[in-house]
Amino acid sequence: MNQWQGGTSRSSGAENGGGWSGDQSGNRYGHGSGSAEPEGARAMPQVRRDAGPGYQRHEPPLPPSMSPRRGAAVPPQQSQGYDDAYDGYNTGQVYGGGHGGGDGYEGRAGRPRPQWGRRIKWTVIALVAVLAVASVATYFWADGKLRRKVDLSKVIDRPATGDGTNYLIVGSDSREGMSAADKQKLHTGSAEGKRTDSMMILHDGSNGPTLISLPRDSDVEIPTYVGSDSGKKYPGTGRHTKLNAAYAEDGPELLVRTVEYNTKLHIDHYVEIGFAGFANIVDAIGGVEMDIPKAFKDKNSGADFPAGKQTLNGQQALAFVRTRHAFAGQDLDRTKNQQKFLATLASQTATPGTVLNPFKLYPTMSAGLDTLIVDKDMSLWSLGNMFFAMKGVTGGEGKSMNMPISGSTGGNLVWDKAKLRQLVQQLNNDEKVTVSGN
């Protein structure tokens, strides 16, 4: 009869939604048990906390509402962190355990889901902070390496400034820091002092950059100037000489004074690099790929190049930009090669592979900054602008040319004065340069 009633109750419960109703919930445990005793109690009688006489555990009896005596109602079990996995049936558990919550269930609470949004946010914040600190540290490190030796305030009678920025870029034959083996390897010779091996004006303006080479054999007049070291004033006598002689006579300050006097173009910044620094920069970035249209050799510079594309290391690059005796145009042909190489060097250096790779970026910057000489007002920002303007010459955003030449006298190249005036006017007004050079 009890079994029939139990089955009837289950059927009724199923019809009412699958639950237990009335007092059958206290008499039926498990799934279809034919006994009035709970399955867990039959299998594990020791789990009963309030077993009556003879039970030896010295614990206070449980309240009747929580005692799992036969026939007593089992309080409904509450889910703790489980999504629909627990249906109120507790097999083999100690009811009313003192270690869990008030519902007597000692199961482990579910772990919270990872909060990926918060993790990603804090990861991004940490990366930005690291990059900011690294950028600031790099700036001060690089700024401390700049050798600000040229004082343009010593240059007198300067022309008015125009639009845009004009850089005088000088490659000197300085052998500073080179050993005897280095001089032999790079074919630099052992001459004392230093002279200008190449000179260029880079104009950076709103109409794109313009790179103008000044041949070292250009015929110029040495004007009145003040000695960079002595402070003594030397009046001009109308003396003419080659442009590179001005540098040899009184250094960068007189060179700037001579360029400004003969062009009427204001020079805003001065940048100079020697033989060793030039070669080290090329080696630091892993070489520069060049397309040489015609093979040439020169025993003076050590050049020996086949035609076609090839990657030049520091030694080869220095030989490439110094060679002039192998060309019919001598210095004019050499300046064209210098322009081509420097623009290519800037283009291949300012790439993600170099800028974002600290193992390339820092050696490259160190190689250049260790031998770079600039004016006292030069900032890293201005130096960076110059570098990217140089890159723009190769990228088709600007123009490269030689100073217009009208002829020669005594071996010196004479500038075309009419074209020079037009060129300077266009640069000062930051207009597109239409003047052609040699």
Side-chain angles (χ1 to χ4, degrees):
M1 182 64 181
N2 290 336
Q3 293 176 354
W4 173 256
Q5 290 176 347
T8 304
S9 300
R10 288 195 300 272
S11 299
S12 301
E15 293 174 358
N16 294 328
W20 294 88
S21 62
D23 60 357
Q24 275 82 4
S25 62
N27 298 328
R28 305 294 296 182
Y29 293 84
H31 299 281
S33 173
S35 171
E37 187 176 26
E39 292 178 357
R42 293 201 311 276
M44 300 179 64
Q46 70 274 14
V47 303
R48 293 178 59 188
R49 298 286 303 275
D50 192 18
Y55 187 66
Q56 300 301 317
R57 295 186 64 173
H58 300 288
E59 296 184 8
L62 294 174
S65 62
M66 297 185 66
S67 176
R69 287 181 181 275
R70 190 177 305 173
V74 178
Q77 304 300 309
Q78 302 295 324
S79 172
Q80 295 188 4
Y82 294 88
D83 296 336
D84 301 328
Y86 180 64
D87 60 0
Y89 176 66
N90 191 346
T91 302
Q93 301 295 330
V94 178
Y95 294 104
H99 301 288
D103 57 5
Y105 179 66
E106 293 183 333
R108 183 179 63 180
R111 295 179 180 176
R113 295 180 180 178
Q115 298 182 357
W116 292 109
R118 180 176 295 180
R119 291 184 182 182
I120 293 173
K121 180 183 74 173
W122 283 109
T123 299
V124 171
I125 291 175
L127 287 175
V128 170
V130 170
L131 289 174
V133 171
S135 298
V136 172
T138 299
Y139 179 89
F140 283 105
W141 169 78
D143 188 74
K145 278 184 167 290
L146 275 181
R147 302 167 68 188
R148 298 181 174 94
K149 292 185 173 182
V150 180
D151 189 357
L152 296 183
S153 66
K154 295 180 180 180
V155 179
I156 63 173
D157 301 332
R158 308 191 67 186
T161 58
D163 295 331
T165 304
N166 298 316
Y167 300 87
L168 180 60
I169 303 173
V170 174
S172 76
D173 64 359
S174 170
R175 297 153 179 84
E176 181 182 1
M178 297 175 64
S179 64
D182 292 333
K183 295 175 184 177
Q184 183 178 4
K185 176 183 175 182
L186 298 177
H187 295 268
T188 63
S190 299
E192 296 297 327
K194 59 181 181 178
R195 286 148 294 279
T196 52
D197 216 49
S198 61
M199 291 160 284
M200 303 178 187
I201 294 175
L202 174 65
H203 174 82
D204 184 20
S206 58
N207 276 293
T210 302
L211 184 62
I212 308 161
S213 287
L214 309 177
R216 58 180 286 176
D217 295 336
S218 296
D219 184 82
V220 294
E221 180 182 341
I222 301 297
T224 300
Y225 69 95
V226 174
S228 57
D229 292 328
S230 65
K232 180 180 177 181
K233 190 171 184 178
Y234 297 89
T237 61
R239 174 169 56 100
H240 280 247
T241 185
K242 293 182 179 181
L243 180 59
N244 67 336
Y247 182 95
E249 187 171 326
D250 197 51
E253 288 84 1
L254 179 56
L255 177 61
V256 171
R257 168 70 175 135
T258 302
V259 169
E260 288 188 340
Y261 178 83
N262 286 270
T263 63
K264 305 301 185 287
L265 183 70
H266 182 90
I267 300 299
D268 298 291
H269 291 294
Y270 177 91
V271 181
E272 176 187 326
I273 189 168
F275 282 162
F278 182 83
N280 289 341
I281 291 175
V282 175
D283 286 333
I285 66 170
V288 175
E289 185 179 11
M290 295 290 296
D291 188 0
I292 300 177
K294 185 178 179 180
F296 65 89
K297 293 183 179 181
D298 181 18
K299 65 178 183 179
N300 293 302
S301 65
D304 186 2
F305 298 106
K309 288 186 177 181
Q310 52 205 286
T311 299
L312 309 186
N313 60 25
Q315 176 184 349
Q316 294 169 324
L318 187 59
F320 180 81
V321 299
R322 294 184 62 218
T323 298
R324 63 171 176 161
H325 297 294
F327 308 124
Q330 293 280 312
D331 204 35
L332 290 177
D333 286 340
R334 178 172 69 166
T335 56
K336 293 176 182 178
N337 280 343
Q338 291 172 345
Q339 291 177 347
K340 181 178 179 181
F341 184 87
L342 290 178
T344 303
L345 172 63
S347 179
Q348 294 183 17
T349 302
T351 62
T354 299
V355 176
L356 299 180
N357 184 353
F359 298 102
K360 267 191 159 185
L361 176 63
Y362 286 97
T364 302
M365 292 180 65
S366 181
L369 296 174
D370 281 344
T371 58
L372 203 65
I373 296 175
V374 298
D375 63 272
K376 292 187 175 182
D377 293 327
M378 175 71 81
S379 66
L380 281 178
W381 179 263
S382 296
L383 189 63
N385 286 340
M386 183 202 78
F387 184 78
F388 282 99
M390 183 75 75
K391 178 185 176 183
V393 173
T394 298
E397 302 171 7
K399 178 177 182 177
S400 61
M401 58 182 288
N402 277 329
M403 180 65 75
I405 304 296
S406 61
S408 63
T409 175
N412 295 354
L413 299 174
V414 179
W415 295 347
D416 188 318
K417 294 183 179 180
K419 286 187 175 181
L420 175 59
R421 283 194 297 269
Q422 184 182 0
L423 173 63
V424 171
Q425 181 181 359
Q426 290 175 344
L427 294 177
N428 278 332
N429 296 331
D430 205 10
E431 300 171 351
K432 185 176 180 62
V433 174
T434 59
V435 178
S436 60
N438 295 79

